[in-house]
Amino acid sequence: MAGEHDELIRPGLPYRIAFDWLAYNLSTVTGPVAVLANTRFRSHELQKRLPGAPLWFPVSERERALAASSQSDSFRLTASETDRLAAIVALEPERESMSYLPELTRNVLPGSRCYAIVSGSLGRFLAEHRDHLSGLDLVDGRALVRGMRDNGWQITSRFGVHGLRAVFCHLMSTFATTVKRPDLQDRWHYAMRERFLETGLASNASALVCLSAEHKS
Amino acid sequence: MKTVDEAVARLDAWFDTMRGIDGYSGPVAHWWGQCLLFTGVGLDWRYEGIIDGYLTLWQRTGQAVWLEKACRAGNDIVQGQLPDGNFRNSSFELNPHAGGTPHEAACDAALLILAKGLKKTAESRQLPAFAALPDAVTWQHYADCAERNLRSFYQAKLWDAATRSFRDHPEISSFVPNKAATACEALFLLAEVRSDDSWIERYVLPNLDRIIAHQVQDGSSLDGAIAQNSIGSSVVEKYFPKYIARCVPALISAHRWTENERYADCALRAMDFIARVAYDDGSLPTVVYPDSRVNRYPSWIAPLADVLRAADMARPLGFDADMSAIHNRLLDGQDVGGGVRTAVGFAGQVNGRVPKLPDLRDVLHVAGWCDKVLRYWAYQVQGELPVIKDIPEMAVDCVFHGKTLRYRENASRVEVTRGGEVCYLWHKGQDWPAVASPEFWLQ
């Protein structure tokens, strides 16, 4: 849902944590970073965190090229744009944008990293999914990991944001509101925030899953 | 015993270490959440105390260096104004994000205090100190920036004609008394600088009337408390003494402006409530709930400066409670490096249990809290401040999410180690820490 005040709408807590994690990791990367992000919401949030960083959005470039030529095959990633990629970022990519991964991967520098944020099994409950991502053919976590591995990326770390423990605490906070115990509402709310990150298997049952990977080469 | 003059000199030296290329930076700890990853410049309410504090130091000492620092901070905001009138990264604990409340109004108030001070100086021809400034700044420069924000954001996007008050978000019918009060402080200053009373009649007084409507006035133990916020017509009955204190300056200005006793009565009731719930050690409950339950943690230290400022402003109206314990708690909260601790007991926010060691967020020195201290202490400075050449390193053991850590801060960095291994490293002025282990990703 695009609104008059989009610039003033903050992402919810799960996305804020995920985007900040991403920006923290990319802040030390020198060289161009290719970002697979299909909505302005996601690309804007990343650009806001890394002003002046050499972020490059091939899908957006492609969309612009399509709009200009109306020829779906007219866009190609050129060597000058991609032969020095320091990192690749996938922000809840659509199935179609994953087709860029092989070509991008061929152009990464040794030691490059790939970072991904993908919806977990609880992702559909996020407000941003209703407002920005509805109708998109998003890649699920399993397919993303498979796609990364097929292209030589080895997952080195993974964590989930807003998992089942946080959901439980949120429900308790809501219940405390219902029984008019605002003190307990606050305590459960902050208990939720302390339990907002999940690792291991629990990360899959989260709203968002964040992955980092290094290339085997 | 440490004097306020010494304390201010050290605090100023600490603030100098927090400057990045284009402003004051640093991590944030707050009741609502922490922001430990984004550490870049925030054009948020940290500037209200920085600008007011430095301007006051200039006015009290006559030393041009303080005016230069006030103007430099004003320039940070002017240069950080976005095309739509909002300020870059104005959301404090929610940074990086524009459109922060009450932060943008706090920046406006700061710019207008500066404009007012410079205008007065120019009119009285006290030009030598002003002429020493590196750039040919004028008071209009700052007033224009503030007015642009107030018009394009507060007037155009946050003003709710139906409730005749400022919303907390353009698209949500919400009202937060302390945030509206900060906007009212800015508008009082704008009216004064522009000699245009219409801002007060049209926007300020209706907001303050709504703040009064959020105050408990029933003679109960909560008498004087001001509810934290309302969503639609539903009032959220949580009472934060620190935020209640932030309503007081605008109410006092309204009393001065209108001579209507309702505003003075509201301000005095608010301060009486705060004095009543204060503990003997100078601490305050962080939040008081309707059934007299409280959460004491995090028990503020640096943020107490806003309470003391409000108390001083209310004294001419008859407020006479002894606030010396709070004053001493604030003074004792300053560390050797000049920064003032944020709180005691962050670790007890959830369960009320406070470990022996302080929480990392307790010992963190936050620009957006220490500015309140600078502003409050600046008014008590007696003369030229001692020169602080070196900032000693501060080191303290602390806990964070159940782990024992070692916190170190010096002029160039904040470093946290666990068993000798670095788990957080922020080079001051940088937008992001060089090292941050997962517990620091939480907000």
Side-chain angles (χ1 to χ4, degrees):
Chain A
M1 185 180 68
E4 184 187 352
H5 305 296
D6 275 359
E7 292 293 328
L8 300 178
I9 296 173
R10 279 188 298 269
L13 184 59
Y15 276 100
R16 289 206 308 272
I17 288 176
F19 286 132
D20 282 357
W21 164 80
L22 194 53
Y24 155 65
N25 279 290
L26 292 175
S27 66
T28 53
V29 171
T30 54
V33 177
V35 184
L36 299 173
N38 294 309
T39 67
R40 188 178 170 282
F41 156 67
R42 288 171 295 188
S43 55
H44 172 68
E45 286 300 324
L46 193 54
Q47 286 172 309
K48 192 169 72 180
R49 283 164 172 76
L50 297 165
L55 302 178
W56 176 56
F57 296 85
V59 174
S60 299
E61 293 281 353
R62 176 179 178 277
E63 286 168 351
R64 278 200 289 277
L66 283 174
S69 67
S70 297
Q71 295 175 20
S72 59
D73 293 328
S74 65
F75 179 73
R76 287 285 182 272
L77 303 177
T78 65
S80 63
E81 285 171 312
T82 59
D83 64 355
R84 52 197 175 92
L85 283 181
I88 298 172
V89 171
L91 295 178
E92 295 188 309
E94 283 185 280
R95 246 172 257 285
E96 185 197 0
S97 58
M98 282 299 285
S99 64
Y100 289 81
L101 194 56
E103 191 158 358
L104 293 173
T105 302
R106 279 195 291 276
N107 292 289
V108 295
L109 291 164
S112 295
R113 302 197 60 96
C114 181
Y115 300 98
I117 298 172
V118 64
S119 298
S121 55
L122 304 181
R124 63 185 181 279
F125 297 111
L126 296 177
E128 286 83 356
H129 272 244
R130 290 195 305 271
D131 295 344
H132 301 279
L133 306 179
S134 60
L136 298 181
D137 183 21
L138 301 180
V139 175
D140 64 32
R142 196 170 294 177
L144 178 74
V145 169
R146 194 166 54 241
M148 290 168 75
R149 284 182 178 150
D150 288 349
N151 285 282
W153 293 99
Q154 186 169 18
I155 308 295
T156 53
S157 75
R158 167 204 300 255
F159 71 96
V161 185
H162 202 170
L164 289 174
R165 291 185 310 151
V167 170
F168 172 75
C169 293
H170 173 71
L171 292 174
M172 292 300 291
S173 179
T174 305
F175 177 70
T177 309
T178 307
V179 297
K180 299 193 186 318
R181 285 294 301 271
D183 56 324
L184 295 181
Q185 175 203 1
D186 282 348
R187 290 186 189 281
W188 278 108
H189 173 77
Y190 290 108
M192 175 194 77
R193 293 174 82 117
E194 287 189 354
R195 292 159 180 78
F196 224 67
L197 300 185
E198 299 288 1
T199 55
L201 282 177
S203 65
N204 292 325
S206 300
L208 296 174
V209 179
C210 301
L211 304 160
S212 59
E214 60 186 20
H215 202 254
K216 286 178 185 170
S217 64
Chain B
M1 187 178 168
K2 182 172 63 180
T3 66
V4 168
D5 286 15
E6 291 166 0
V8 172
R10 283 161 53 186
L11 184 55
D12 162 60
W14 176 81
F15 264 114
D16 279 349
T17 73
M18 298 297 280
R19 274 199 70 83
I21 294 170
D22 47 7
Y24 293 89
S25 57
V28 174
H30 198 350
W31 162 266
W32 311 110
Q34 64 267 11
C35 180
L36 305 176
L37 276 192
F38 176 77
T39 46
V41 173
L43 299 179
D44 49 39
W45 73 1
R46 72 191 70 181
Y47 277 85
E48 67 180 2
I50 290 171
I51 291 178
D52 195 353
Y54 282 133
L55 191 70
T56 303
L57 287 176
W58 173 62
Q59 289 163 340
R60 292 184 73 88
T61 68
Q63 292 176 279
V65 61
W66 306 125
L67 181 59
E68 287 171 18
K69 288 189 175 186
C71 290
R72 180 177 66 177
N75 293 342
D76 293 342
I77 303 175
V78 172
Q79 285 157 17
Q81 188 165 40
L82 301 170
D84 59 6
N86 286 111
F87 299 126
R88 183 166 49 88
N89 301 340
S90 62
S91 296
F92 196 44
E93 85 279 9
L94 297 171
N95 272 334
H97 197 78
T101 56
H103 302 287
E104 298 210 354
C107 288
D108 295 330
L111 290 172
L112 289 162
I113 285 169
L114 184 56
K116 184 180 154 187
L118 292 173
K119 186 182 180 189
K120 188 178 169 190
T121 302
E123 287 169 353
S124 62
R125 299 171 184 244
Q126 296 173 345
L127 289 174
F130 180 54
L133 287 170
D135 300 314
V137 292
T138 64
W139 65 267
Q140 289 98 333
H141 178 63
Y142 302 113
D144 289 350
C145 178
E147 183 172 351
R148 185 159 171 247
N149 178 265
L150 287 165
R151 283 187 184 278
S152 63
F153 185 40
Y154 279 85
Q155 185 186 34
K157 294 179 181 170
L158 296 182
W159 176 249
D160 185 332
T163 61
R164 302 191 71 214
S165 57
F166 290 122
R167 291 179 168 195
D168 191 34
H169 191 281
E171 295 178 353
I172 301 169
S173 177
S174 53
F175 180 72
V176 185
N178 81 85
K179 295 185 176 187
T182 303
C184 291
E185 279 193 73
L187 290 172
F188 270 121
L189 288 159
L190 182 64
E192 193 175 347
V193 168
R194 297 295 195 210
S195 302
D196 179 2
D197 296 357
S198 65
W199 292 103
I200 295 172
E201 297 295 333
R202 187 167 177 198
Y203 297 104
V204 172
L205 298 181
N207 267 291
L208 293 175
D209 290 344
R210 198 161 183 214
I211 290 174
I212 293 174
H214 278 65
Q215 186 175 50
V216 178
Q217 296 187 344
D218 61 1
S220 71
S221 62
L222 284 173
D223 189 90
I226 298 171
Q228 174 60 15
N229 64 310
S230 54
I231 300 166
S233 59
S234 175
V235 176
V236 176
E237 295 178 275
K238 297 178 185 178
Y239 307 96
F240 293 74
K242 181 240 169 339
Y243 283 125
I244 292 169
R246 281 186 67 89
C247 296
V248 169
L251 289 163
I252 291 173
S253 294
H255 173 253
R256 199 179 301 131
W257 191 278
T258 63
E259 297 183 353
N260 186 329
E261 292 300 324
R262 287 177 69 230
Y263 300 115
D265 177 64
C266 182
L268 286 172
R269 279 176 188 258
M271 289 312 305
D272 285 342
F273 168 75
I274 293 169
R276 217 165 47 240
V277 297
Y279 300 107
D280 290 343
D281 64 356
S283 65
L284 292 167
T286 308
V287 52
V288 181
Y289 300 98
D291 50 8
S292 297
R293 287 188 172 88
V294 301
N295 191 340
R296 288 189 68 168
Y297 303 109
S299 178
W300 299 124
I301 297 178
L304 290 174
D306 272 347
V307 176
L308 293 167
R309 174 179 181 247
D312 282 356
M313 295 173 91
R315 290 200 187 281
L317 298 178
F319 177 68
D320 63 355
D322 178 8
M323 306 294 267
S324 57
I326 299 179
H327 177 91
N328 293 338
R329 180 179 174 83
L330 184 61
L331 205 55
D332 292 345
Q334 186 174 44
D335 283 313
V336 294
V340 179
R341 292 190 180 197
T342 295
V344 170
F346 250 107
Q349 186 179 25
V350 171
N351 58 22
R353 290 194 293 272
V354 178
K356 284 183 182 171
L357 289 175
D359 190 271
L360 173 83
R361 294 161 291 180
D362 295 336
V363 299
L364 198 66
H365 307 126
V366 177
W369 294 126
C370 289
D371 74 294
K372 321 296 179 227
V373 185
L374 180 69
R375 171 166 68 175
Y376 173 66
W377 281 349
Y379 278 94
Q380 299 166 47
V381 161
Q382 299 296 317
E384 284 198 13
L385 300 184
V387 176
I388 305 293
K389 288 183 177 171
D390 296 310
I391 291 283
E393 178 167 292
M394 171 213 174
V396 63
D397 289 331
C398 60
V399 293
F400 194 43
H401 293 289
K403 293 169 183 164
T404 301
L405 309 170
R406 180 82 171 160
Y407 175 96
R408 284 193 185 85
E409 180 182 356
N410 60 28
S412 62
R413 64 184 185 174
V414 170
E415 182 185 87
V416 183
T417 53
R418 181 172 56 237
E421 188 180 337
V422 176
C423 54
Y424 186 79
L425 174 60
W426 174 56
H427 296 289
K428 290 187 174 182
Q430 296 296 308
D431 283 358
W432 301 92
V435 178
S437 57
E439 61 266 35
F440 293 87
W441 305 347
L442 288 166
Q443 296 186 12

